[in-house]
Amino acid sequence: MFISEAWAQGTGGGSDFLVQLFPLVLIFIVFYFLLIRPQQSKLKQQREMLAGVKRGDRVVTGGGIIGLVTKVISDNEIQVELAEGVRVRIIKGTITDIITRGESVRGAKESDEDDKPMLPAAPPAAERKSLLGSLFGGRK
C-alpha cells in the first residue's frame, strides 16, 4: 500500500532540483565574500609590502625578532641587523610586518664580504677515530 502511494506521486520535475541547489549556491556566495575575497586582498597587501622592503626599514620576522634592514641581497633575501654588529640573512617571506619605513639611503656599497656563503668551507677530512678506539686506547 505504501509503495503504490509513493509511485503515484511521481517525480516533481526540474524545479525541485533548482530549489535544492539554491541553498548550496547561496552558501558558496557567502563564503566567497566573507572568506576567500578578504584573504586574497590580504595576500596581495603582503606581497606588495615584501616587494617594498628597502634598506633602513625596521621589520618584524615570523619568529618575533625585530631588526633593521641593512642590505637587500636579492629578491628573496635580505640582511637584517639585530643588534650592533650582529647581522643575519633572512628570507623576505619570513617578514610579517614593517614597523617603520627607513629613508632611502644612497651611499657607498658595502663590502662584498656579506655576499659570501654563511657557512665556512669545511676543513679537510682528518683521520677518523672511533669512540671505542679513543676510550680503550686503540691505534695511535
Side-chain angles (χ1 to χ4, degrees), residues 81-126:
E81 185 173 34
L82 304 177
E84 190 155 337
V86 180
R87 293 181 179 174
V88 294
R89 292 169 73 165
I90 64 170
I91 302 296
K92 272 189 180 181
T94 61
I95 295 175
T96 57
D97 195 15
I98 298 177
I99 298 173
T100 57
R101 292 279 181 181
E103 296 178 12
S104 183
V105 180
R106 298 203 183 252
K109 184 178 178 196
E110 294 180 22
S111 66
D112 290 336
E113 174 180 308
D114 294 333
D115 292 337
K116 294 179 183 173
M118 296 301 282
L119 298 174

Side-chain angles (χ1 to χ4, degrees), residues 7-8 12-13 19 22 47 66 68 78 82 98 117 134 136-137:
W7 282 106
V19 170
F22 179 72
R47 272 187 258 125
I66 299 173
L68 182 70
I78 61 173
L82 304 177
I98 298 177
S134 63
F136 297 110

Side-chain angles (χ1 to χ4, degrees), residues 40-54 57 75 92 95-98 101:
Q40 287 175 343
S41 65
K42 188 180 271 188
L43 285 173
K44 183 180 177 184
Q45 289 174 347
Q46 177 78 5
R47 272 187 258 125
E48 289 171 356
M49 179 192 68
L50 292 178
V53 172
K54 63 184 180 301
D57 291 350
D75 289 343
K92 272 189 180 181
I95 295 175
T96 57
D97 195 15
I98 298 177
R101 292 279 181 181

Side-chain angles (χ1 to χ4, degrees), residues 6-81:
W7 282 106
Q9 291 178 1
T11 58
S15 65
D16 287 341
F17 177 71
L18 293 177
V19 170
Q20 291 175 355
L21 191 62
F22 179 72
L24 293 175
V25 171
L26 184 65
I27 289 171
F28 178 76
I29 291 170
V30 168
F31 271 111
Y32 178 77
F33 284 108
L34 292 180
L35 297 175
I36 298 171
R37 205 166 154 208
Q39 183 67 22
Q40 287 175 343
S41 65
K42 188 180 271 188
L43 285 173
K44 183 180 177 184
Q45 289 174 347
Q46 177 78 5
R47 272 187 258 125
E48 289 171 356
M49 179 192 68
L50 292 178
V53 172
K54 63 184 180 301
R55 185 176 167 194
D57 291 350
R58 185 160 297 278
V59 297
V60 179
T61 66
I65 298 174
I66 299 173
L68 182 70
V69 176
T70 57
K71 186 177 191 179
V72 177
I73 296 172
S74 68
D75 289 343
N76 297 337
E77 193 174 353
I78 61 173
Q79 184 180 51
V80 177
E81 185 173 34

